[in-house]
Structure formats: structure tokens, C-alpha cells
Amino acid sequence: MSVKAIAVNPNDPATFIEIPLPMPQPGEHDLLVEVKAVSINPVDTKVHANIAKNGLKEPRILGWDASGIVKAVGSAVTQFKAGDEVWYAGDITRSGSNATHQLIDARIVGHKPRTLDWAASAALPLTALTAWEGLFERLNIQDAGSDKTLLIVGGAGGVGSLAIPFAKHNSQINVIATASREDSAQWCRDRGADLVVNYRDLPGELAKHDIKYVDYIFILNDTDGHWAAVSELIAPQGHICTIVENEHPLDQNQLKSKSAALHWEFMYTRSMYQTQDMARQGEILDEVAKLVDNGVVKSSLSDTLHGLSVESITEAHRKVLDGHMRGKVVVAF
């Protein structure tokens, strides 16, 4: 039995090709998963763009978010068995999930929510882990009182759609989200945002509500473009976390005078560096699954394409690159 995969074409890295591969065998900590659905994220398009720019010697399989069924387990795996339904956000250093079967380290895998189908499940892991780690391991908002405020820049995107309910359920903090269109603003309110403002003039928008400073800021898009505003808005001794790399130097002067902190959140850090606590990601996914099954968190799935093919993966990338996705696009096999 062979694996069908959709990979970046080394002869034309801007495009994808279908390739067959031998069925892999799980290593000590691995699961062999039959993939049922994949979600396409901005990281997919960024990695693809870098490949297209720098070239490629052999086909590379992208895709990280996935849901599927365990077919085999490695010798050191105790928490999963063949037949288990799982979800995960993958490992950027390994072959991706745009394939019928994939090897994945069991320590970064969680048990799929019982109440979601394959597509709705695949929409969540990467964004859930990013939101959870950013809020509770970088910003530590769980320690904040009800007098504190969190500003989420990009509330209607994949990460923001989960950061809002996570923050509301697991802290006492007041949540402000940004959105530019009314449908996006309503999306944020539906997920629990206390206030939604337009991102185009954040200081001005917040001033309308007598807000001069916010205690925590979670930047989910365009760090460069929002930097001046968030530097002005962050409270003295406040905390900023961003998931988006900057293209230009970030002026730290206002942060220095305020003794404010800047944190980075990169969901792949644990698997990339094989950190001692990498199994925490599997634990977080299990916690998120319980929140989903208890009705606290909804899937951020907004668009489903069908069938693993060059055409479906190409179209999913196009939708993400369009930049106006509310929620997530998924390819169900």
C-alpha cells in the first residue's frame, strides 16, 4: 500500500504535484495516522512562498493541521492505540499532512473532539495551540483580575476566533477585539468579545470608550503596521505578544519607558527544539477538545473543499492568500 501526497513541485515551485510514496513505519515516539482532513494556514503559504523564492531539489509535502485515525504506534507510545481519532498541528521540520498517511510525534497529538467531524476538527489545532500558548504561557492572562483588559488585534481570524473564547472562559479579563467589517465584528461578539473596534485607528477608537491604555495586547496580524499604535496603547508594565514576524526594526523606546514586555509566540518551538515539555501540546489539545465537547468553543471552520488533489490544495492556498478569510479553510479527503 502506498501513500498519495500533494507536494511542492521542484521543477516549478509555485505549483503542486501529486506523488506516490511508500507507507512509512512509525519511529519510537511516532503515530502513523490516516489523514482525514487538513486545514490550510498562513504558515503553509509562507513556507510555500519561501520555497518558490529559493528553489527546491525534491518534492516537499506541506500541511500541518490535521485530523485522522491512528493506524500504528511506535514502541514508546502509551497514550494512543490503533483506531483512535486524533488531531494535531504538526511539526514544521517533518513531512506534512497533505497526504493520505503521515508520521507524527505522539507527544504533540491530542484526542479529537467527539462532537466535531473531521473537517471541523482539522480547522482548530494550530490556531488553538497558538492562542492558548500566547494567552496563558506568554501573557499569563489567567493571573489577571477583572480590572484588566486584553486587546486582540485580528479577532476574526483563525487564532482570534479561539483566543476570544479561551480568554473569556479561562480568565476574568475584559476582551477587546479588532475587526473592520460588521460581519467580522459580529463574529467576534458571538465568540464573547466585550468590545469590538476598528483596527484602522486603534487609539482613536479606544478613546471613544475612554480607554487610554490596555494591559495586554495579542497581535495576530501585521506587527509592523500595528506597532506604533500598540506601543502607544500598552499600559505601563503591560505585556505584548505577537505571532507575526516583523519585516522592519521595531522601535522599543515607548516599551522601555513603560517597562513593558514583548513576547513572541511560535507554535512550532516545542517540536522544533524537542523541548522537555513538548508533551504539553498534546495536553493542551486534549483540554481544548473538552471545551469543544462542552460547547464552550466552536470550530472556526468556514470553508470546506473536498478531495486530496492538486486542485483542492491550490485553491485552499489561494483562499488563504486572499487575506479576507473569516475562520479557516479545510480540505476534507
Side-chain angles (χ1 to χ4, degrees):
M1 185 177 178
S2 64
V3 175
K4 169 186 170 182
I6 306 302
V8 180
N9 183 355
N11 297 320
D12 181 6
T15 66
F16 296 98
I17 55 172
E18 180 180 323
I19 59 171
L21 295 170
M23 185 64 66
Q25 297 301 310
E28 182 182 16
H29 292 284
D30 286 340
L31 304 178
L32 173 63
V33 176
E34 179 185 348
V35 181
K36 293 294 187 179
V38 298
S39 175
I40 308 303
N41 294 277
V43 66
D44 295 68
T45 60
K46 289 176 183 176
V47 172
H48 188 207
N50 285 336
I51 292 172
K53 177 181 178 181
N54 299 318
L56 191 67
K57 292 182 179 180
E58 58 185 27
R60 180 174 177 189
I61 304 167
L62 305 182
W64 290 280
D65 261 343
S67 60
I69 301 174
V70 176
K71 307 304 286 185
V73 304
S75 59
V77 176
T78 59
Q79 68 272 45
F80 297 99
K81 63 183 184 304
D84 284 351
E85 298 184 351
V86 296
W87 63 341
Y88 50 89
D91 178 345
I92 204 165
T93 68
R94 301 183 73 176
S95 184
S97 53
N98 294 343
T100 56
H101 296 77
Q102 179 188 13
L103 292 180
I104 185 75
D105 192 305
R107 291 170 291 185
I108 58 173
V109 175
H111 296 85
K112 168 187 161 295
R114 299 185 309 276
T115 55
L116 295 185
D117 63 17
W118 298 116
S121 295
L124 288 174
L126 189 152
T127 49
L129 286 166
T130 300
W132 191 285
E133 291 180 355
L135 292 174
F136 306 123
E137 298 184 351
R138 312 293 175 238
L139 294 176
N140 290 300
I141 66 164
Q142 67 273 19
D143 298 329
S146 58
D147 59 328
K148 301 298 184 181
T149 301
L150 165 71
L151 172 64
I152 299 175
V153 180
V159 178
S161 297
L162 294 171
I164 294 169
F166 285 172
K168 293 302 294 181
H169 187 264
N170 289 340
S171 79
Q172 298 179 315
I173 208 162
N174 293 292
V175 177
I176 305 170
T178 72
S180 59
R181 305 189 310 273
E182 178 51 36
D183 61 336
S184 298
Q186 188 59 49
W187 176 276
C188 294
R189 286 190 285 267
D190 289 345
R191 278 150 183 77
D194 298 297
L195 175 66
V196 182
V197 297
N198 195 306
Y199 66 84
R200 299 184 195 281
D201 177 19
L202 281 173
E205 286 282 305
L206 291 174
K208 295 176 184 177
H209 300 275
D210 297 320
I211 299 172
K212 181 179 181 180
Y213 295 127
V214 290
D215 304 285
Y216 302 89
I217 300 177
F218 199 9
I219 304 174
L220 306 180
N221 60 47
D222 192 8
T223 298
D224 292 273
H226 294 298
W227 188 250
V230 300
S231 297
E232 178 181 341
L233 287 169
I234 191 64
Q237 303 184 96
H239 295 262
I240 300 169
C241 178
T242 181
I243 68 170
V244 184
E245 64 272 23
N246 55 302
E247 296 182 8
H248 307 288
L250 300 176
D251 185 343
Q252 304 282 316
N253 286 326
Q254 289 195 72
L255 269 65
K256 181 180 184 300
S257 67
K258 294 177 179 179
S259 297
L262 172 62
H263 308 263
W264 293 95
E265 163 55 24
F266 186 54
M267 194 281 303
Y268 297 110
T269 296
R270 282 173 156 136
S271 55
M272 177 180 287
Y273 292 98
Q274 295 282 296
T275 61
Q276 289 186 341
D277 67 345
M278 66 183 289
R280 179 62 188 143
Q281 290 200 328
E283 295 170 358
I284 292 170
L285 288 173
D286 282 343
E287 292 182 48
V288 174
K290 291 176 184 176
L291 292 177
V292 171
D293 288 337
N294 290 332
V296 175
V297 174
K298 304 174 185 176
S299 173
S300 46
L301 171 67
S302 61
D303 196 357
T304 305
L305 306 176
H306 295 278
L308 178 64
S309 67
V310 169
E311 291 75 19
S312 63
I313 296 298
T314 301
E315 175 64 7
H317 275 243
R318 185 196 66 76
K319 286 177 177 289
V320 173
L321 285 168
D322 183 50
H324 297 291
M325 283 294 301
R326 187 185 65 200
K328 301 291 292 297
V329 58
V330 168
V331 179
F333 299 177

